[in-house]
Amino acid sequence: MDDIVRQALAKWPHVPDCYGWLGLDARGNWFMRDDRAQALGPFAGGSVASKGSQLKHEKLIDFIQRNFEADATGQWFFQNGPQRVYVELEVSPLVWRVSDDFSVHDHMGRFARVQRCFVDEQGYLYLEADLGFGLVHTMDMNAAANAFEQGLWAPQDVLAADLPVRFGYVKSPQALQN
């Protein structure tokens, strides 16, 4: 967490939490969800418009990613100064990128060691790593397939609906508030 964020928390410890305004999609992209986008439906499984506006400002994205973590209940949030902005997850809290040399990093650029591999009923691939659990980016399925062929990863079957409970995360903190 950034020092400026820690200072703001100390100065204003009782700022209300924010829900529904920020989303992370299956490709590791961040979305700002204003009132209009939220009124159009949920972030995950809703319409394209309900996702909101994709963030493009690199410094803002970097700030969000440096201050992105989970609380004790598995709800992921961005600590924005003294305020927690809870994040709607399209699929999972991390999105993994797989390189041709089979190194793995998350959507924030942090390298990780793969512990286990899972595939759901729709063919989506997930990795459990030392940094946490997440979906493999669709653009990296060729590298992942090569990891299977070389015996580096052995995917285990899993039901997508079981993932949040099994791996301790909440896809929609906002839904828990309603």
Side-chain angles (χ1 to χ4, degrees):
M1 188 179 298
D2 288 1
D3 285 337
I4 193 167
V5 172
R6 284 189 192 90
Q7 293 168 9
L9 279 167
K11 188 172 183 178
W12 299 290
H14 303 293
V15 174
D17 297 333
C18 178
Y19 294 88
W21 287 82
L22 188 62
L24 178 68
D25 77 359
R27 291 179 162 242
N29 297 311
W30 294 97
F31 287 80
M32 185 65 62
R33 304 182 69 235
D34 60 13
D35 286 330
R36 182 180 164 279
Q38 291 180 52
L40 292 171
F43 182 74
S47 68
V48 171
S50 70
K51 277 187 149 180
S53 302
Q54 184 177 343
L55 297 179
K56 301 283 187 182
H57 193 279
E58 288 182 30
K59 290 191 185 293
L60 174 58
I61 292 167
D62 289 344
F63 181 65
I64 291 170
Q65 293 180 160
R66 283 193 314 272
N67 297 287
F68 178 59
E69 58 188 70
D71 69 12
T73 66
Q75 296 179 79
W76 285 76
F77 64 92
F78 153 53
Q79 190 69 48
N80 184 25
Q83 185 175 54
R84 280 190 176 180
V85 178
Y86 281 92
V87 177
E88 298 293 296
L89 304 173
E90 185 173 24
V91 178
S92 64
L94 300 175
V95 178
W96 298 113
R97 300 306 310 256
V98 181
S99 299
D100 289 336
D101 66 358
F102 310 118
S103 62
V104 173
H105 65 276
D106 67 14
H107 65 279
M108 298 176 282
R110 302 177 306 167
F111 284 89
R113 288 186 307 274
V114 175
Q115 297 168 338
R116 291 188 295 169
C117 178
F118 300 89
V119 64
D120 72 12
E121 66 275 14
Q122 295 179 14
Y124 290 106
L125 183 66
Y126 305 88
L127 300 177
E128 183 180 23
D130 58 337
L131 296 180
F133 177 81
L135 176 72
V136 173
H137 195 290
T138 57
M139 297 293 292
D140 297 336
M141 291 306 292
N142 190 46
N146 290 336
F148 302 155
E149 288 174 358
Q150 293 192 21
L152 300 175
W153 302 342
Q156 303 170 33
D157 290 333
V158 68
L159 295 174
D162 294 344
L163 295 174
V165 171
R166 184 171 181 174
F167 294 100
Y169 65 93
V170 175
K171 285 179 63 174
S172 179
Q174 182 181 28
L176 295 180
Q177 299 305 303
N178 298 332

